Amino acid sequence: MTQPVALEHVVVTGGAGFIGSAFTRNYLAWHPSARVTVIDKLTYAGNLQNLAPVDGDGRYRFVQADICDYDAVAPVLAGADAVVNFAAESHVDRSILDPDVFVRTNVLGVNALLRAATGAGVRRFLQVSTDEVYGHVGEGATPEDAPLKPRNPYSASKAGAELLAWSYFSNFTLPVLVTRGENTIGPYQYPEKATPLFITNALDDQPLPIYGQGEAVRHYLYVDDHAAAIDLVLHQGVPGEAYNIGADEAINTVALAERILDLLGKPRSLMRFVPDRPGHDYRYNLDCTKLEGLGWRRRYDFARTLEATVVWYRTHQDWWRAIKSGEYQDYYRRQYGAALAGAR
Ligand code: NAD
Ligand code: TYD
């Protein structure tokens, strides 16, 4: 293990999204002398309300910018100690509907950011990646040196970002670290991913669309545990290395939907089986030995993770009701309209 590196000024790109905002809120609490500058384009998924708890904290600053725009981003990075890049198009189903924007932000945007970070001479560049870069894992647990075999435009663009980041490590000695986290849930997650979609639909007695037979397996990680792991890797990880971040329990989609309905006291009849996602990865499973070697322990098991998430959505309906209008309705109709009309 290396000595923890001191990082006073951290630039968090994509910090108005779900995990980036959790990281920002926590980082300011965990490191009282640190400063955080958030850069975010505020796409449909970015929301300044996610950062409202730190608004007014003199150590926090927000800059609206696109990570593809080198000229806008480079001056913000000048003098920074570290960059943690969360900025991405992040939803698999949208990447199947419209791949282009995924390549733009997740590959070209990351290249612009890597170039700016190299110019600024930052001491750490942490690229937040995903377990999805490994693709479907039929059996066993995946270590970090397993081949990357992404199978949808989202995961392919995230794998492309990683490969570019490694090239900056090799060619320009940029101190790159990569984390590959599992499915993450908790407060402030845009209600397009399965868990917040199921919870908010159930609260409105709307159907829960389950792809195929609902047999795909995921592990659900609490967002604060994910943020804590990124903080650990940022300070104590070895540049040039990737770190898996995983949750404990394997849950298929039917079990996830049932647990949510039970927690909310809603009937199981709200589950609707719709046509499967094309190229659906049926299983991910990470080997987290390397992260545990840095001393990481998750604080939330699956039961606590899901309960905390359900309670937050039940008690923060203003936040998600404001989102579930406008653009969201167009996306929902495009993604689910015909499928739900023909569902059993
Ligand atoms: P999110 O969609 O909630 O947030 C993404 C943020 O990036 C938004 O605030 C958006 O406005 C911003 N953004 C998008 N394009 C941008 C651009 N061109 N320039 C600047 N900002 C831009 O995503 P999330 O769920 O918080 O995921 C954050 C990161 O973590 C992503 O890189 C994702 O691949 C990774 N990840 C997510 C999960 C998960 O389960 N959600 C799991 C593992 C890894
Ligand atoms: P999702 O939250 O989109 O994350 P991932 O990036 O892992 O695909 O989906 C989690 C699981 O739930 C995945 O197996 C796909 C499934 N799913 C549904 O069955 N219905 C849905 O409406 C969505 C969004 C996902």
Side-chain angles (χ1 to χ4, degrees):
M1 196 186 302
T2 52
Q3 281 294 89
V5 62
L7 304 168
E8 286 300 306
H9 180 205
V10 177
V11 173
V12 177
T13 45
F18 165 49
I19 309 175
S21 67
F23 179 81
T24 301
R25 297 188 304 270
N26 280 307
Y27 197 87
L28 289 166
W30 292 332
H31 304 282
S33 63
R35 288 183 292 131
V36 173
T37 300
V38 167
I39 296 178
D40 199 294
K41 183 180 179 181
L42 298 179
T43 67
Y44 78 93
N47 187 342
L48 284 178
Q49 282 184 34
N50 303 358
L51 291 163
V54 293
D55 201 17
D57 185 324
R59 300 171 300 141
Y60 155 76
R61 184 165 77 101
F62 179 80
V63 177
Q64 185 169 3
D66 185 335
I67 59 163
C68 299
D69 184 350
Y70 174 87
D71 292 336
V73 163
V76 184
L77 264 52
D81 294 310
V83 176
V84 184
N85 179 36
F86 294 89
E89 290 293 333
S90 69
H91 189 40
V92 172
D93 292 326
R94 287 190 191 249
S95 82
I96 298 167
L97 292 173
D98 181 11
D100 292 15
V101 68
F102 284 73
V103 176
R104 182 184 181 276
T105 290
N106 299 1
V107 181
L108 299 179
V110 170
N111 181 54
L113 206 50
L114 287 163
R115 210 151 52 81
T118 303
V122 299
R123 301 172 66 202
R124 290 288 183 273
F125 183 100
L126 191 148
Q127 168 65 11
V128 179
S129 192
T130 166
D131 59 350
E132 305 203 17
V133 295
Y134 297 118
H136 170 74
V137 178
E139 55 187 30
T142 321
E144 286 82 354
D145 58 3
L148 305 189
K149 292 186 174 175
R151 287 162 21 96
N152 59 61
Y154 163 66
S155 51
S157 64
K158 293 295 291 185
E162 278 199 30
L163 297 180
L164 269 173
W166 297 134
S167 80
Y168 276 74
F169 175 74
S170 305
N171 291 261
F172 309 118
T173 61
L174 182 68
V176 168
L177 298 145
V178 166
T179 55
R180 299 185 187 133
E182 286 190 319
N183 288 60
T184 303
I185 63 175
Y188 301 103
Q189 184 171 31
Y190 193 90
E192 63 189 353
K193 310 285 190 326
T195 303
L197 176 72
F198 289 178
I199 297 170
T200 55
N201 278 15
L203 281 165
D204 277 345
D205 300 304
Q206 292 298 309
L208 278 50
I210 295 173
Y211 296 154
Q213 303 300 310
E215 288 167 342
V217 168
R218 298 289 187 268
H219 298 72
Y220 291 93
L221 179 66
Y222 195 64
V223 67
D224 290 344
D225 276 338
H226 193 160
I230 290 173
D231 186 45
L232 180 66
V233 171
L234 181 66
H235 289 90
Q236 297 191 43
V238 178
E241 298 281 328
Y243 294 85
N244 288 338
I245 308 173
D248 56 347
E249 221 176 293
I251 303 288
N252 73 30
T253 321
V254 169
L256 176 70
E258 289 177 348
R259 299 272 289 255
I260 289 170
L261 291 167
D262 291 353
L263 282 167
L264 289 171
K266 299 287 183 177
R268 301 258 174 107
S269 57
L270 283 175
M271 293 195 289
R272 292 283 194 291
F273 291 88
V274 300
D276 207 352
R277 172 188 280 173
H280 200 159
D281 289 337
Y282 288 113
R283 182 175 177 270
Y284 304 123
N285 191 31
L286 297 180
D287 177 340
C288 297
T289 311
K290 198 165 159 186
L291 184 66
E292 285 158 10
L294 292 183
W296 185 69
R297 300 288 175 270
R298 74 181 72 78
R299 291 177 51 229
Y300 285 74
D301 62 11
F302 177 66
R304 204 173 151 217
T305 294
L306 193 63
E307 269 168 42
T309 305
V310 166
V311 167
W312 191 85
Y313 281 86
R314 195 161 42 72
T315 54
H316 291 77
Q317 300 201 16
D318 288 353
W319 182 86
W320 59 264
R321 287 192 187 285
I323 290 170
K324 277 194 151 187
S325 58
E327 191 274 346
Y328 183 90
Q329 291 296 333
D330 296 340
Y331 165 72
Y332 198 83
R333 268 192 295 275
R334 207 171 153 207
Q335 178 63 20
Y336 298 106
L340 278 172
R344 56 189 170 83

